[in-house]
Amino acid sequence: MVKIVTYNVNGLRPRVAQHGSLRRLLDSLDADIICFQETKLSRQDLSGDVIMAEGYEAFISCNHTSRGRGAYSGVATFCRVTSAFSSQEVALPVAAEEGFAGLQGSAKDSETIGDFVLKMPVEEEGLGEITREELLRLDNEGRCIITDHGHFVLFNLYGPAIGEDDEERVRFKLLFYKILQKRWEYLLALGKRVFIVGDLNIAPGSIDRCDAPPGFEKQMFREWLRSMLKENDGPFFDAFRSKHPERTGAYTCFNQKVGAEEYNYGSRIDHILISGSCFHNCNSEDTHSIFHCHVKDCEIMNHFKRSGDTENISKWKGGRSSKLEGSDHIPVYIILNGIPELPVHSTPSSAARYLPEIRGRQQSIVSFLSKGKICEVEDGPGLSMSQDQANESCCTDDLERKSISKEESPTGITEFSKGGDLPSSTSKRRNLDHWINEGPSGNSQNSNATLLASHGMKASFSSIKSMSNKKNKHNLSSQPTIKSFFRRPETRTGDANINSLVSSVDTVPVMDELCYPMDVSLLENIQCTAAAEVDQDSSISCSLTADNCNTATLEWQRIHQRMKMTLPLCKGHREPCIPRSVKKGSNIGRQFYVCGRAQGPSSNPEANCNHFQWASVKSKGKRQ
């Protein structure tokens, strides 16, 4: 029995952090072959903790473009094996290839699957002449990994998401699938069985979309995908829909900006398509095929959904800073039985274990002396995201944008950042160092302790830093020894309490100054914790009393209440709206208000009432 899972992880590092390790993430899916999309890894960011896991072999493709978009796209296929060498397991491929046009470096060696070489230039109906540069650009975004498992060839795909008015990306997506179709037809003509899994960013029919408008199925890419399916005389079975032809509400992707999971308001754009003959040596594919004879089950793994009715699952609470743990996609699996073993083979040379970023490369002594890069929190709260990344991250199926009219509706009014990695302990430490360096100096330990409560501990740390700098000036004349770099810094009795306070605060998450206001309970906890630390020694007076904590709490409540009073009420629920701003187009920077509830069917009175209201004054600021 072979189990294959496809999962758009919306950033592999966040999913690894969510589960604790890559091995735990992979084990939670419990499959022989696991195909990830939207890993958001670049070659420079590759490391063993997100690529290598005991018992798995990885094959990856990262984006190679340099358009200033940062890490986006990317696919990875993980194969569970008992041995990477001399194995007979179907999960371990006999060959692997990055990309699908035969132009990537790993596709030029002897492992090229099916010896597919596309001659350039190519004339394609309705597309004109396709150049080699265009084909290379298709592969450079890291959207395809092909693995040959002997009995079938597996395509792990991440299809482009586009806007209907973006002609360049429409052509890109059209080329992407046209060239892929040629590759599939070539392999099928060779007698290969072809499996296509991944986020194709296409919902085939109205049954696969929560709010399909009239004419939904007439869209170009939907018509193309349906033409590839058996019911329209195409070569592929849509494994899920073929197993569950009448099931409604079966969605795999939800718009994270409007909390769509809460009311199962999504679309089915993650697919498993299969084609080829069975292992019974029968020529009739009508009754004997890989689907009819060997597919035991195909299901959506709904327990990976980010919101639900149970107490242990987070709810979307509205607002720009709302972050739900997990991806905005749900995995889909297929189980095949009766698949024979393969002849003895070993891991292909294109596996991740052989990449120089993972295997290691010789380093110069300069690299050990240079200061390391500060770990960036990818798309975390308070951080901005490029428009290209936002478009790429949107689970749209090309139609998620809802406009009121061309005259009054902004383009992209729902473009917002997605959740990302949590900062590592290294990044927290360096943020704290930055905090210490940039903060205003204090005058005394007691005043520092007071500022610690009222100004987020900023002044206190800067004062401690300045005292440390003065102390170090006296030692500049003496040459330090190697041992001095490994000694603990000497502390005086008077400094002990402050130093212990600094070390204890090390574990407190540091918030960026651009973030939204700190939660009231968090501020209160920090204040009271600091007060308890200072109380342990009589050398620092306790200026943080219960009254101070209560005062700060009441002040935050007053601010929040005042903010609510200035917001308009939505028409459906008479609740305060959420302020948002236009991210692109002629109305960039202009503020508007929308209902704060989760998106859902219009028939549900508890769901978003679709209230929209422009702010009275157009903002002159531009998006950073």
Side-chain angles (χ1 to χ4, degrees):
M1 187 170 68
V2 176
K3 181 179 179 181
I4 303 173
V5 166
T6 177
Y7 186 20
N8 180 317
V9 291
N10 187 20
L12 185 53
R13 285 191 183 276
R15 298 294 77 74
V16 170
Q18 177 188 348
H19 287 79
S21 70
L22 176 62
R23 175 65 184 270
R24 289 180 180 177
L25 168 62
L26 297 172
D27 287 349
S28 69
L29 295 165
D30 187 26
D32 301 288
I33 304 172
I34 300 169
C35 298
F36 289 149
Q37 301 88 42
E38 204 173 356
T39 57
K40 296 182 181 180
L41 297 175
S42 65
R43 289 293 291 262
Q44 294 78 15
D45 296 332
L46 292 182
S47 56
D49 60 324
V50 292
I51 291 300
M52 301 302 296
E54 184 181 357
Y56 294 87
E57 289 297 318
F59 302 85
I60 67 168
S61 180
C62 303
N63 74 81
H64 300 271
T65 60
S66 56
R67 297 171 55 190
R69 299 175 66 175
Y72 72 101
S73 190
V75 292
T77 299
F78 289 86
C79 304
R80 183 169 62 185
V81 294
T82 55
S83 173
F85 309 100
S86 301
S87 175
Q88 292 181 286
E89 297 168 279
V90 176
L92 183 66
V94 297
E97 179 181 338
E98 181 180 6
F100 55 89
L103 301 179
Q104 287 289 351
S106 62
K108 296 177 183 178
D109 57 22
S110 59
E111 292 177 2
T112 300
I113 298 169
D115 295 326
F116 176 83
V117 178
L118 201 61
K119 296 180 180 179
M120 319 307 165
V122 176
E123 288 288 342
E124 185 66 36
E125 183 179 355
L127 298 177
E129 186 179 87
I130 304 172
T131 66
R132 182 184 181 89
E133 288 70 25
E134 284 182 302
L135 287 172
L136 188 59
R137 190 159 56 246
L138 294 177
D139 271 353
N140 276 350
E141 291 195 7
R143 296 182 176 276
C144 179
I145 277 287
I146 312 175
T147 49
D148 186 347
H149 298 266
H151 301 305
F152 57 86
V153 177
L154 177 66
F155 285 73
N156 178 4
L157 297 180
Y158 178 40
I162 61 169
E164 294 290 341
D165 56 346
D166 191 340
E167 293 183 4
E168 180 183 351
R169 295 302 287 179
V170 168
R171 175 178 169 81
F172 179 92
K173 187 168 184 172
L174 189 58
L175 277 174
F176 183 85
Y177 284 120
K178 284 291 185 181
I179 303 303
L180 271 170
Q181 180 179 345
K182 283 182 172 292
R183 189 71 189 268
W184 299 335
E185 291 171 349
Y186 178 81
L187 290 171
L188 290 172
L190 294 177
K192 298 280 189 178
R193 302 174 186 88
V194 177
F195 292 7
I196 303 166
V197 306
D199 173 9
L200 303 188
N201 262 309
I202 304 173
S206 299
I207 193 174
D208 302 306
R209 180 64 176 264
C210 59
D211 56 352
F216 178 78
E217 296 184 354
K218 297 297 183 182
Q219 198 258 3
M220 173 174 55
F221 294 107
R222 285 183 240 290
E223 290 184 334
W224 170 82
L225 181 55
R226 288 197 305 276
S227 73
M228 299 298 295
L229 303 181
K230 277 288 185 180
E231 53 264 34
N232 294 300
D233 298 323
F236 292 97
F237 288 92
D238 179 345
F240 176 82
R241 188 55 67 195
S242 297
K243 282 288 185 182
H244 314 283
E246 304 298 329
R247 185 184 295 182
T248 59
Y251 307 132
T252 64
C253 179
F254 303 90
N255 190 338
Q256 64 171 354
K257 306 165 192 172
V258 293
E261 291 108 320
E262 187 166 340
Y263 298 108
N264 193 36
Y265 199 71
S267 58
R268 189 176 70 92
I269 62 176
D270 301 87
H271 302 288
I272 298 178
L273 313 178
I274 65 174
S275 178
S277 61
C278 64
F279 292 95
H280 301 150
N281 297 320
C282 297
N283 295 325
S284 174
E285 288 196 15
D286 293 334
T287 55
H288 287 272
S289 66
I290 187 71
F291 175 79
H292 288 114
C293 299
H294 300 286
V295 175
K296 179 180 179 182
D297 197 9
C298 184
E299 270 292 354
I300 299 171
M301 303 172 74
N302 284 308
H303 58 282
F304 277 80
K305 191 182 294 186
R306 294 183 301 175
S307 63
D309 297 326
T310 62
E311 296 180 359
N312 297 326
I313 303 177
S314 301
K315 285 282 190 178
W316 189 84
K317 298 179 181 179
R320 184 171 187 164
S321 59
S322 296
K323 301 293 180 184
L324 298 179
E325 188 178 55
S327 173
D328 53 346
H329 289 249
I330 304 177
V332 182
Y333 74 83
I334 186 172
I335 296 178
L336 303 106
N337 53 25
I339 309 297
E341 288 187 334
L342 294 173
V344 174
H345 62 288
S346 59
T347 301
S349 61
S350 55
R353 68 162 59 239
Y354 300 120
L355 294 176
E357 291 84 357
I358 302 300
R359 195 173 187 181
R361 55 165 65 96
Q362 186 174 356
Q363 298 179 341
S364 65
I365 193 168
V366 177
S367 65
F368 290 96
L369 300 176
S370 62
K371 188 174 182 180
K373 292 182 179 179
I374 295 177
C375 297
E376 295 181 357
V377 183
E378 182 186 6
D379 194 20
L383 298 180
S384 61
M385 184 192 222
S386 72
Q387 188 61 41
D388 282 335
Q389 284 176 302
N391 287 342
E392 194 65 42
S393 299
C394 276
C395 170
T396 64
D397 184 28
D398 310 332
L399 289 175
E400 279 295 342
R401 301 178 190 82
K402 295 189 182 223
S403 59
I404 300 172
S405 70
K406 289 187 177 179
E407 293 76 24
E408 64 180 8
S409 176
T411 303
I413 61 175
T414 58
E415 297 287 356
F416 295 103
S417 301
K418 302 186 79 173
D421 290 342
L422 296 173
S424 65
S425 58
T426 306
S427 64
K428 291 177 184 177
R429 177 66 256 176
R430 287 172 177 155
N431 285 338
L432 184 57
D433 289 341
H434 172 75
W435 210 3
I436 292 171
N437 287 326
E438 299 299 327
S441 299
N443 296 323
S444 66
Q445 292 180 2
N446 289 340
S447 64
N448 287 335
T450 305
L451 287 171
L452 185 65
S454 60
H455 297 290
M457 302 169 284
K458 191 173 182 179
S460 216
F461 289 154
S462 61
S463 177
I464 296 167
K465 184 72 175 181
S466 64
M467 288 190 293
S468 176
N469 288 340
K470 290 177 182 178
K471 182 178 178 181
N472 288 337
K473 286 181 180 179
H474 299 290
N475 299 326
L476 292 177
S477 59
S478 60
Q479 182 175 348
T481 64
I482 291 291
K483 291 183 179 179
S484 66
F485 290 98
F486 299 94
R487 283 196 198 123
R488 280 182 169 274
E490 296 180 4
T491 57
R492 295 176 297 179
T493 305
D495 297 335
N497 292 314
I498 297 180
N499 289 334
S500 64
L501 183 56
V502 172
S503 63
S504 67
V505 176
D506 251 354
T507 60
V508 178
V510 179
M511 297 188 68
D512 192 286
E513 292 181 351
L514 297 177
C515 287
Y516 293 92
M518 187 182 294
D519 185 78
V520 178
S521 60
L522 176 60
L523 179 64
E524 186 176 354
N525 288 338
I526 292 176
Q527 290 173 330
C528 294
T529 303
E533 291 285 349
V534 174
D535 277 338
Q536 292 179 2
D537 197 288
S538 59
S539 62
I540 299 179
S541 60
C542 177
S543 61
L544 303 176
T545 62
D547 290 339
N548 288 352
C549 292
N550 293 334
T551 301
T553 302
L554 292 174
E555 183 66 16
W556 275 115
Q557 290 175 349
R558 185 184 69 80
I559 293 172
H560 292 164
Q561 186 63 30
R562 188 169 182 178
M563 290 175 64
K564 288 182 179 180
M565 291 173 61
T566 61
L567 295 174
L569 303 180
C570 67
K571 62 184 179 182
H573 312 104
R574 307 304 298 169
E575 297 173 349
C577 291
I578 295 173
R580 291 179 177 171
S581 59
V582 182
K583 296 302 176 183
K584 66 177 182 178
S586 60
N587 285 306
I588 185 170
R590 188 173 181 182
Q591 192 177 50
F592 59 94
Y593 303 100
V594 294
C595 176
R597 294 203 181 187
Q599 196 73 37
S602 57
S603 58
N604 187 343
E606 298 299 320
N608 191 294
C609 64
N610 294 320
H611 177 86
F612 175 89
Q613 178 180 338
W614 284 114
S616 57
V617 180
K618 182 175 179 179
S619 172
K620 299 294 184 182
K622 292 186 177 181
R623 179 172 61 93
Q624 299 296 322

